[in-house]
């Protein structure tokens, strides 16, 4: 019998019923809800007269549609206040644990889930958000779902799913000076393409991955969906166990010891076979930034913007369209491109380690006069920890705005948008047309690279500022 992958082991342990043709009914261990999609699922449950199957396994927090303005409350952004109120009411109606604004635990759903110990190795978890794949960094099978799937899981604690094909991306070698997990992720997407992972579950492995701390792994797995895959996973190891230990909802005492023994078995067998294998030489990765309107349109900061090619039928290809939207010239260096805004935040890069890296570059320097720069912590716990270290003072002295926890300007669902035609360097995960506001132009980068852009007023290589 052939060996099993890490994904196989988690999947097989959760099958309630084999439905045939690759489909199965899986038990769902954790279900996370946020205001944008969770409020709708809870409203659907109420309208249909359904009961939540196990409210102890469901957790909710507002993040997408709430303002990040200092001193905000749930009504600061009026258009989002109904969603905030609906999430609160739904959580109360069904006895679901809600982490509300100002409370420890509130924050971006994919930041607060791991930090509270809600996400654990070997669990299945879902959320009505495509970046749920973030949580695979802890060795969980984490999936973004639609509203009907969310309602089904709330009512039954199960989900009907089709087993995906398996892809392993093996990364070997040490990341260079100034290079982060964000740069590695963008490098992988640019090299393999935004559709490479379609229909696959991705496992990240290799010496590079083993050397990353858990928060860096969360960043890498967060961008798996931008590779086209629904889930990404990393085998739990000593770093994972140390990260989980002592967290609020993690097992304690003898239960933790028993769980650790099981977690150590969560690894791909040596003779397991993948449908697709890819190799990445991490030594070749340099600080990377997107130039276009897809995460795959990314290049090294010291490279030149690519030229368009003639598409099938003689028309312009996606490169030409992206250049037009972004207002860039093919063949020009990407470094030196003037910018207007900087956004440090999102479920990709708003954890404490991200803010520390950003503050390290910002310390003793100042944002360029024409640039507006925001720092939005990923959670209430991140905000409090950063303030305890004085990071907020470093940012304030450098001319950054220190905001309240939430998704902020990542998806602009809370009214916080980049002005039309303005150019923003963002630590988020998507640079689609209009993602940060109508006609907004977004460049994805690491927190350190975003600070370098804020300080110089243009896309810059952070290595020159170190």
């Amino acid at each position: 019998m052939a060996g099993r992958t890490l994904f196989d082991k988690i999947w097989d342990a959760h099958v309630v019923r084999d439905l045939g043709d690759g489909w199965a009914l899986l038990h769902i261990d954790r279900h996370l809800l946020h205001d944008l999609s969770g409020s709708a699922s809870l409203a659907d449950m109420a309208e249909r007269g359904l009961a939540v199957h196990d409210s102890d396994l469901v957790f909710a927090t507002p993040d997408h549609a709430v303002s990040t303005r200092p001193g905000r409350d749930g009504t600061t952004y009026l258009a989002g206040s109904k969603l905030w109120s609906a999430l609160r009411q739904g959580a109360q109606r069904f006895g679901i644990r809600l982490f509300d604004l100002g409370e420890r635990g509130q924050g971006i759903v994919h930041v607060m889930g791991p930090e509270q110990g809600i996400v654990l190795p070997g669990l299945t978890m879902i959320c009505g958000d495509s970046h749920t794949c973030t949580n695979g960094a802890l060795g969980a099978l984490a999936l973004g779902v639609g509203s009907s799937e969310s309602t089904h899981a709330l009512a039954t604690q199960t989900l009907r799913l089709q087993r995906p094909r398996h892809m392993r991306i093996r990364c070997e070698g040490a990341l260079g000076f100034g290079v982060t997990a964000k740069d590695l992720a963008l490098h992988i997407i640019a090299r393999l393409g935004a559709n490479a992972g379609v229909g696959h579950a991705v496992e990240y492995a290799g010496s590079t991955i083993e050397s990353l701390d858990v928060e860096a792994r969360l960043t890498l797995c967060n961008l798996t969906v931008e590779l086209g895959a629904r889930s990404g996973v990393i085998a739990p190891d000593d770093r994972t166990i140390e990260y989980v230990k002592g967290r609020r909802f993690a097992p304690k005492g003898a239960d933790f010891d028993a769980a650790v023994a099981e977690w150590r078995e969560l690894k791909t067998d040596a003779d397991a076979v993948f449908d697709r294998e890819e190799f990445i030489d991490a030594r070749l990765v340099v600080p990377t930034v997107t130039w276009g309107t897809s995460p795959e349109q990314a290049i090294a900061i010291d490279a030149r913007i690519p030229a368009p090619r003639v598409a099938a039928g003689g028309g312009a290809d996606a490169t030409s369209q992206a250049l037009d939207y972004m207002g860039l010239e093919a063949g020009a260096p990407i470094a030196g491109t003037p910018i207007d805004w900087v956004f440090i935040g999102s479920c990709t890069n708003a954890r404490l380690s991200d803010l520390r890296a950003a503050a390290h570059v910002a310390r003793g320097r100042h944002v360029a006069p024409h640039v507006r720069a925001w720092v939005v912590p990923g959670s209430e716990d991140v905000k409090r920890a950063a303030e305890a270290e004085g990071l907020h003072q470093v940012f304030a002295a450098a001319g950054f705005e220190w905001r309240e926890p939430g998704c902020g300007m990542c998806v602009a669902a809370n009214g916080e948008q980049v002005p039309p035609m303005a150019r923003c360097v963002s630590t988020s995960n998507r640079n689609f047309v209009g993602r940060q506001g109508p006609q907004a132009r977004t460049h994805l980068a690491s927190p350190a690279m975003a600070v370098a852009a804020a300080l110089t007023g243009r896309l810059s290589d952070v290595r020159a500022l170190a």
Side-chain angles (χ1 to χ4, degrees):
M1 181 178 177
R4 294 188 298 162
T5 67
L6 168 58
F7 183 94
D8 285 331
K9 293 180 180 182
I10 302 174
W11 177 284
D12 293 345
H14 288 82
V15 173
V16 175
R17 180 179 299 173
D18 188 334
L19 303 176
D21 295 326
W23 290 85
L25 189 69
L26 259 59
H27 180 268
I28 302 302
D29 295 313
R30 298 287 188 272
H31 194 164
L32 295 173
L33 304 173
H34 61 71
D35 47 353
L36 205 59
S37 63
S39 55
S41 297
L42 294 175
D44 188 29
M45 293 284 291
E47 290 171 8
R48 297 169 62 179
L50 300 174
V52 171
H53 185 275
D54 192 339
S55 59
D56 288 341
L57 302 182
V58 186
F59 302 84
T61 189
D63 60 359
H64 278 64
V66 293
S67 171
T68 66
R69 183 186 304 170
R72 58 90 191 272
D73 61 25
T75 64
T76 301
Y77 178 56
L78 292 178
S81 63
K82 291 182 179 179
L83 294 172
W84 169 70
S85 180
L87 186 67
R88 295 180 73 200
Q89 292 172 10
Q92 183 176 19
R93 177 189 182 109
F94 292 108
I96 292 169
R97 178 70 171 87
L98 173 72
F99 300 89
D100 207 353
L101 301 181
E103 297 179 9
R104 300 208 71 151
Q106 182 271 331
I108 305 173
V109 69
H110 309 312
V111 175
M112 57 76 66
E115 76 181 9
Q116 295 301 316
I118 294 170
V119 182
L120 298 170
L123 298 189
T124 54
M125 65 150 301
I126 63 170
C127 177
D129 189 287
S130 61
H131 290 102
T132 305
C133 53
T134 306
N135 302 281
L138 292 175
L141 198 171
L143 302 166
V145 299
S147 58
S148 61
E149 292 175 307
S150 182
T151 299
H152 184 279
L154 285 170
T156 68
Q157 209 59 46
T158 65
L159 200 58
R160 179 177 177 268
L161 294 165
Q162 185 176 31
R163 197 181 201 119
R165 297 188 296 277
H166 296 166
M167 175 192 293
R168 177 163 59 188
I169 301 177
R170 184 174 294 279
C171 305
E172 300 289 354
L175 295 175
F177 174 70
V179 181
T180 70
K182 180 66 162 289
D183 302 299
L184 175 62
L186 291 175
H187 177 88
I188 291 172
I189 298 167
R191 177 180 160 182
L192 302 184
N195 294 319
V198 172
H200 292 79
V202 175
E203 178 177 344
Y204 296 98
S207 61
T208 312
I209 307 304
E210 293 166 4
S211 70
L212 297 177
D213 63 33
V214 170
E215 294 196 346
R217 296 176 187 183
L218 288 163
T219 294
L220 178 62
C221 285
N222 175 271
L223 284 152
T224 304
V225 70
E226 312 309 334
L227 195 64
R230 195 173 178 184
S231 67
V233 67
I234 296 173
D237 57 11
D238 288 343
R239 291 177 185 268
T240 316
I241 293 165
E242 186 61 31
Y243 177 89
V244 169
K245 187 176 182 180
R247 295 192 180 270
R248 186 172 179 180
F249 291 94
K252 304 292 191 299
D255 289 339
F256 182 78
D257 295 337
V260 167
E262 294 184 6
W263 296 343
R264 292 195 182 282
E265 299 301 316
L266 291 174
K267 54 187 176 182
T268 292
D269 295 332
D271 57 344
V273 177
F274 287 82
D275 298 287
R276 180 174 178 180
E277 296 247 25
E278 295 289 348
F279 172 77
I280 300 294
D281 187 343
R283 297 170 300 176
L284 303 180
V285 182
V286 300
T288 301
V289 62
T290 60
W291 60 267
T293 55
S294 167
E296 73 176 354
Q297 293 175 327
I299 54 176
I301 187 61
D302 55 3
R304 292 181 178 271
I305 300 166
R309 296 185 298 271
V310 177
D317 71 349
T319 299
S320 179
Q321 297 169 20
L323 289 172
D324 288 344
Y325 182 83
M326 294 296 291
L328 296 174
E329 180 181 347
I334 190 68
T337 304
I339 62 104
D340 308 291
W341 280 72
V342 165
F343 168 66
I344 297 174
S346 88
C347 58
T348 312
N349 282 126
R351 298 174 182 84
L352 185 59
S353 58
D354 297 312
L355 302 191
R356 286 171 175 162
H360 177 74
V361 180
R363 193 180 303 273
R365 298 181 167 115
H366 202 276
V367 171
H370 69 280
V371 174
R372 189 170 183 186
W374 287 10
V375 180
V376 180
S379 71
E380 185 68 30
D381 282 23
V382 170
K383 178 175 181 284
R384 296 185 187 191
E387 290 178 346
E389 294 183 12
L391 301 186
H392 65 310
Q393 296 173 334
V394 173
F395 289 123
F400 289 81
E401 298 180 37
W402 180 249
R403 313 277 293 187
E404 298 288 349
C407 292
M409 205 181 289
C410 170
V411 67
N414 60 352
E416 297 171 1
Q417 299 182 347
V418 175
M421 310 302 286
R423 193 177 301 279
C424 178
V425 179
S426 175
T427 66
S428 55
N429 39 52
R430 287 182 173 158
N431 54 335
F432 301 162
V433 171
R435 171 75 174 183
Q436 291 191 294
Q439 296 182 287
R441 294 165 167 168
T442 300
H443 295 272
L444 304 179
S446 72
M449 285 282 284
V451 173
L455 299 175
T456 61
R458 59 189 183 273
L459 292 175
S460 302
D461 191 337
V462 67
R463 295 173 297 184
L465 297 180

